[in-house]
Amino acid sequence: MFQKKIFYLMFFLSFLSIYNFPCYAETSPKNIKETEQLAEQGNATAQFNMGCFYDKQKEYKKAFKWYQKAAQQNNPDAQYNLGIMYYNGYGVLENHQKAVEYFILAAKQGLSNAQYNLGLMYNNGDGIKKDINKAINWYTKAAEQNEVFAQYNLGLLYCLGKDIKKDYTKAHHWFLKAAEQGNMQAQFNLATMYQNGDGTKQDYKKAFKWYQKAAMQGDATSQYNIGVMYNNGYGIQQDYEKAYYWYMKAAKQNMALAQFNLASLYANGLGVNQDYELAKEWYGKSCKNGYQTGCDFYQNFTKKVIQNTLGIF
């Protein structure tokens, strides 16, 4: 029988990055003259639209000029786009401090993208002194507007407990919000929390559900974990053929543990026809991807060794 061992687990531990997508308006060459006339007359929306038009053409200096005019009239989208331009050095010298200034202006007017970016910059001390409490404040404002990156980053802050008190209940809350919007990293982390009972009641069926959602988006670790669940009958009926299917998906993404477990299925004829040559091949791939036990099995591959390959993780 296979030994039931813990999953190969890890949280996604990296914060999602700055939003670099300007909020574009619809301005086509057909109505550009009319828009420009309105912009010259001081219409803030037209000024913003002119900025968007030139932004799309990658004429960043002209875009900057019009965004600046609209921003001076408190147009939040223009303020946000100026922040993006200063952050990346589009049409102006890169200046993260100026980016913060414009993100603050837009964030105070409720623009969720700006609130998220501001939270991230406080989180990282980027262009402004690091301040986790202010990061949480701005992330929360954005998250409450269903900004998925903010929801994920809040979950990660509470999960890691770095600079703030660890709180798995809050982490679970925000990961769930982000996962429900399709964020793959949040789906994986949420599954891990259900599996371990962190911040919620342990529930293998819910863990399986969320691993599957992340796996369907191509996450190799989730694919591997589903393989383990089918392999061992955790939260789902034991099924070696389905374990093989998911191990193979992860193995093709060069995940060493999945490659090792796939080799062991071939070696033992579980869920697939027994095939020693393929078993040795996958042990070798596992070895090449850094799994020492895979190296050991590959180098000492004999029928006697095969009989001892039952310790699938």
Side-chain angles (χ1 to χ4, degrees):
M1 293 185 63
F2 288 97
Q3 297 176 21
K4 289 189 175 182
K5 297 193 176 183
I6 61 171
F7 301 123
Y8 174 73
L9 296 173
M10 64 176 184
F11 282 105
F12 278 104
L13 298 179
S14 58
F15 290 99
L16 297 177
S17 59
I18 200 103
Y19 263 134
N20 268 328
F21 309 108
C23 31
Y24 286 129
E26 291 299 324
T27 304
S28 66
K30 291 182 180 179
N31 62 10
I32 191 65
K33 288 186 178 181
E34 181 182 345
T35 303
E36 188 170 16
Q37 286 178 349
L38 289 171
E40 293 286 3
Q41 293 169 17
N43 183 290
T45 301
Q47 291 169 344
F48 171 72
N49 288 345
M50 288 298 300
C52 288
F53 174 78
Y54 285 117
D55 205 338
K56 289 178 182 178
Q57 309 302 317
K58 297 186 178 181
E59 294 187 51
Y60 294 128
K61 289 186 177 180
K62 290 181 179 179
F64 182 88
K65 165 195 165 183
W66 286 112
Y67 285 147
Q68 193 169 46
K69 288 180 180 292
Q72 288 169 350
Q73 297 195 65
N74 291 321
N75 182 293
D77 293 326
Q79 292 166 344
Y80 170 77
N81 281 12
L82 279 177
I84 294 294
M85 299 192 86
Y86 272 116
Y87 192 88
N88 293 292
Y90 294 155
V92 67
L93 288 176
E94 184 177 317
N95 187 327
H96 288 197
Q97 290 178 328
K98 292 291 289 185
V100 167
E101 290 177 17
Y102 280 104
F103 287 146
I104 288 174
L105 291 173
K108 285 183 176 179
Q109 294 197 66
L111 200 68
S112 63
N113 286 3
Q115 291 168 341
Y116 165 75
N117 282 359
L118 194 54
L120 187 64
M121 295 181 85
Y122 273 118
N123 194 154
N124 295 333
D126 183 4
I128 199 165
K129 184 178 179 181
K130 184 173 181 175
D131 189 322
I132 293 299
N133 289 327
K134 289 183 179 179
I136 290 173
N137 175 60
W138 287 111
Y139 279 149
T140 302
K141 288 180 183 294
E144 288 173 347
Q145 295 193 67
N146 290 322
E147 173 42 60
V148 65
F149 281 12
Q151 292 168 342
Y152 172 80
N153 280 9
L154 273 174
L156 194 56
L157 277 174
Y158 286 118
C159 181
L160 293 174
K162 185 179 180 182
D163 300 316
I164 63 168
K165 184 178 179 181
K166 185 177 291 188
D167 189 327
Y168 283 135
T169 300
K170 289 182 179 178
H172 175 271
H173 171 80
W174 289 114
F175 282 146
L176 178 59
K177 293 280 190 184
E180 288 175 338
Q181 293 200 69
N183 182 273
M184 185 185 74
Q185 293 94 324
Q187 290 169 344
F188 175 84
N189 286 357
L190 185 64
T192 302
M193 298 190 85
Y194 277 120
Q195 180 197 304
N196 295 331
D198 291 331
T200 188
K201 183 179 179 181
Q202 188 178 52
D203 190 325
Y204 283 144
K205 288 184 178 180
K206 287 184 178 179
F208 179 89
K209 167 190 170 181
W210 288 107
Y211 279 137
Q212 190 170 45
K213 287 182 181 291
M216 293 297 288
Q217 294 196 65
D219 178 55
T221 309
S222 294
Q223 292 168 348
Y224 169 78
N225 281 359
I226 290 176
V228 172
M229 296 185 88
Y230 274 121
N231 201 141
N232 294 286
Y234 292 152
I236 197 76
Q237 185 175 348
Q238 189 177 53
D239 188 323
Y240 292 129
E241 289 185 7
K242 289 181 179 177
Y244 169 85
Y245 173 85
W246 287 106
Y247 285 148
M248 178 63 80
K249 280 191 169 293
K252 286 181 177 179
Q253 294 195 66
N254 293 320
M255 188 177 186
L257 280 173
Q259 292 169 336
F260 179 85
N261 284 7
L262 191 62
S264 294
L265 289 179
Y266 274 119
N268 291 283
L270 293 170
V272 68
N273 291 331
Q274 192 171 49
D275 190 319
Y276 295 152
E277 290 299 318
L278 283 174
K280 185 172 183 179
E281 178 183 330
W282 283 107
Y283 283 135
K285 290 181 179 181
S286 174
C287 174
K288 288 180 181 178
N289 282 302
Y291 189 49
Q292 182 57 47
T293 305
C295 300
D296 296 339
F297 275 77
Y298 180 78
Q299 292 168 1
N300 301 293
F301 197 82
T302 64
K303 287 189 178 181
K304 183 177 181 180
V305 171
I306 290 168
Q307 294 170 1
N308 294 314
T309 63
L310 301 180
I312 288 190
F313 289 90

